[in-house]
Amino acid sequence: MNKGSIYGLTFDQLVAWLAEKGFKKSRALLVWDWLYRKRVTSFSEMTDIKQDCLQVLEDHFAIQTLTEHLKQESADGTIKFLFKLMDGNLIETVLMRHKYGLSVCVTTQVGCNIGCSFCASGLLAKSRDLTSAEIVEQIMKVQLHLDGKVANEHVSHIVVMGIGEPFDNFKNMVDFIRVVKDQKGLDIAARHITVSTSGLADKIREFADSDLKTNLAISLHAPTNELRTRIMKINKAIPIEKLMSSIEYYLEKTNRRITIEYILLKDVNDGKEHAIQLAELIQHIRQLANVNLIPYNPVDEHSQYQRSEREFVRAFYDTLKKQGISCSVRLEHGTDIDAACGQLRSKQIKKSTEDNLVAQ
C-alpha cells in the first residue's frame, strides 16, 4: 500500500495528528524541524525523536514520493526537472536564477483543462489534481538538489505557474502555501510567493478572503471578450466583465498589487490598438496593477502562433506607458531548453508512446 507523504500536513495538521496518537506539540516541532530545516529523507534520520513516535510516522507516512525522471540545465542556470509521481505520471518543476534570488515554478495538476490555445500545458488533458504533499515535495526536491552543491543556496521565491490551473486545485494549493511559508520551516516570505490564475472569478474572491498575503497574477492575454474567447476558452464561462469584478473585489479586500500577465502573439494580440484597449480596461485599477509582457515560447503543436517581433514588443510597452500603465517585459529563462511550460512533459510522453508502438 502506498503511504501518503508527510509533506501534505500543515504544521497545525501535524500537531493535531500526533496529538491523536498521544504525542505532545513539542514532538511535532521536532519532526517539523527535521523535515524542513535539516531536510532529512527518511524518518530514521530523526535521531532525537523516540522510537515509538518514529514507528507511528513510518507506519503512516512516506517522505520521498517523487523521483527525478529527467533534468535539463540551461546555459543561464535555469534547471527544468521532470519528476515522476508514484502513479507514473510526469510533472515539471523549474528552478530559475534571478538577481534577487532563486525562484521555483511549481505544478499543481497532472495536465490542464483550461485549454488556452497557445499553451503546451494543455496539450494533455487534466487527469488529476496534485496533492498538497506533491506540490510541497517539488520545492523540497529542488532544495535538496541545491543542498548537494557547495554554494549553500536556498529557494527564496515561489511561483505557482506550472502545469495546471492552481485555483482549480484550491484547497491543496492553499495548504501548500501554508507549509512553505511557515516560519518554523522553509520560511519563504508570503510576499515572495506568487499564484497565477487564468481567471476563476469565484476562487479569486475566496483567495482574497483567505488572507494569505501572497501575490496574485492574472493570465489575461487579451483585452476584449472576442479575442480572449478565441485564444482562451475559459472566457466563454468567465467573460472579462466577471473577471474584472473579482479582481476589483480582490484589490478592495487586500489592497495588494496584482500582475496582469500578457503573452504577446504575433499578429494576434500585439498591436497598438490592443495595447490601447488593455490600458482602457485596467485604467481604473492602474495604481495597484502591473502588466507583465511575456515573449512567447513557440510550441510545435501550436504552430499558428509565433513570437512577436521585438519592435512590436517595444511599441506595445511604450503605448501602455504613455497611457499611465505600469508595465515590464519578462526576462526569459531557459530559452535553450524546453522553455514553454509543459513542453518537456508532453515531449517525453509522446516519445514514450512512440517507443511503445515501435516495440509492438
Side-chain angles (χ1 to χ4, degrees):
M1 182 182 72
N2 290 334
K3 292 179 283 189
S5 170
I6 195 167
Y7 290 137
L9 298 179
T10 66
F11 179 72
D12 289 342
Q13 290 167 350
L14 177 62
V15 170
W17 190 89
L18 285 173
E20 289 179 359
K21 306 298 180 184
F23 299 105
K24 296 180 179 179
K25 182 177 180 179
S26 58
R27 202 65 57 88
L29 284 164
L30 289 173
V31 172
W32 197 261
D33 186 72
W34 279 108
L35 288 172
Y36 296 108
R37 292 290 176 88
K38 299 183 177 72
R39 293 188 283 280
V40 297
T41 57
S42 68
F43 291 111
S44 62
E45 296 176 74
M46 299 180 178
T47 54
D48 61 354
I49 297 178
K50 293 183 179 180
Q51 186 58 40
D52 57 343
C53 182
L54 288 180
Q55 190 60 57
V56 169
L57 292 170
E58 187 81 51
D59 289 344
H60 290 84
F61 298 109
I63 297 180
Q64 299 271 323
T65 65
L66 275 60
T67 56
E68 186 180 302
H69 183 73
L70 191 65
K71 181 170 64 181
Q72 290 183 337
E73 298 194 43
S74 169
D76 65 14
T78 300
I79 303 178
K80 178 170 276 195
F81 298 87
L82 192 66
F83 292 124
K84 180 176 284 188
L85 307 175
M86 292 189 73
D87 61 5
N89 278 303
L90 299 173
I91 60 170
E92 290 181 9
T93 308
V94 184
L95 170 67
M96 295 165 287
R97 294 182 176 275
H98 303 274
K99 291 181 180 179
Y100 54 76
L102 298 180
S103 175
V104 175
C105 179
V106 297
T107 283
T108 56
Q109 296 179 315
V110 180
C112 184
N113 281 343
I114 297 302
C116 299
S117 61
F118 49 81
C119 182
S121 293
L123 290 173
L124 297 161
K126 186 187 93 169
S127 59
R128 70 173 177 88
D129 292 327
L130 294 189
T131 66
S132 57
E134 289 168 328
I135 310 174
V136 172
E137 193 173 348
Q138 293 172 65
I139 299 296
M140 298 307 297
K141 284 290 189 186
V142 174
Q143 185 57 60
L144 287 167
H145 167 83
L146 294 170
D147 290 344
K149 307 295 181 181
V150 296
N152 192 31
E153 295 178 309
H154 293 85
V155 175
S156 60
H157 293 68
I158 294 173
V159 288
V160 189
M161 297 182 183
I163 298 170
E165 164 55 62
F167 281 3
D168 191 33
N169 188 14
F170 192 82
K171 181 183 182 304
N172 289 333
M173 184 269 296
V174 168
D175 281 350
F176 156 75
I177 291 174
R178 296 194 191 283
V179 170
V180 297
K181 75 186 190 76
D182 191 291
Q183 293 182 340
K184 300 177 293 299
L186 292 175
D187 191 23
I188 296 175
R191 68 183 183 277
H192 291 168
I193 301 172
T194 301
V195 181
S196 176
T197 177
S198 58
L200 302 191
D202 292 345
K203 293 301 181 182
I204 291 173
R205 293 173 182 270
E206 190 174 345
F207 193 63
D209 294 337
S210 69
D211 197 33
L212 289 170
K213 295 181 171 61
T214 54
N215 303 313
L216 178 64
I218 306 294
S219 294
L220 187 64
H221 307 315
T224 67
N225 279 319
E226 184 277 330
L227 180 54
R228 193 166 192 261
T229 298
R230 179 148 57 94
I231 65 175
M232 299 177 70
K233 69 179 184 181
I234 190 175
N235 201 71
K236 293 179 182 178
I238 307 172
I240 287 177
E241 294 80 11
K242 187 174 182 179
L243 173 58
M244 289 303 300
S245 176
S246 68
I247 291 172
E248 290 159 9
Y249 177 86
Y250 176 87
L251 295 176
E252 183 178 351
K253 182 84 176 185
T254 68
N255 198 38
R256 298 185 62 82
R257 290 183 65 83
I258 64 165
T259 298
I260 303 293
E261 296 176 307
Y262 197 99
I263 287 179
L264 290 164
L265 304 169
K266 183 179 179 180
D267 299 329
V268 176
N269 66 350
D270 65 344
K272 285 187 178 181
E273 70 276 16
H274 299 119
I276 292 170
Q277 289 169 339
L278 177 60
E280 291 174 348
L281 177 67
I282 64 173
Q283 190 68 227
H284 65 297
I285 61 168
R286 71 180 190 280
Q287 299 301 326
L288 287 173
N290 179 74
V291 175
N292 191 15
L293 301 175
I294 305 171
Y296 181 59
N297 288 312
V299 177
D300 291 343
E301 292 85 350
H302 298 316
S303 58
Q304 72 273 32
Y305 295 120
Q306 300 298 321
R307 174 184 290 241
S308 293
E309 295 171 2
R310 186 168 297 179
E311 58 266 31
F312 280 79
V313 175
R314 170 55 64 182
F316 202 102
Y317 173 90
D318 289 343
T319 301
L320 289 179
K321 295 292 280 188
K322 287 176 182 176
Q323 298 294 318
I325 303 298
S326 172
C327 61
S328 55
V329 179
R330 178 182 290 181
L331 293 175
E332 297 185 78
H333 296 270
T335 53
D336 55 336
I337 56 177
D338 292 301
C341 181
Q343 199 167 29
L344 176 59
R345 173 178 178 262
S346 64
K347 281 187 177 181
Q348 287 299 304
I349 292 174
K350 183 179 179 181
K351 180 179 182 298
S352 178
T353 301
E354 291 172 347
D355 289 346
N356 288 336
L357 287 173
V358 170
Q360 292 173 7

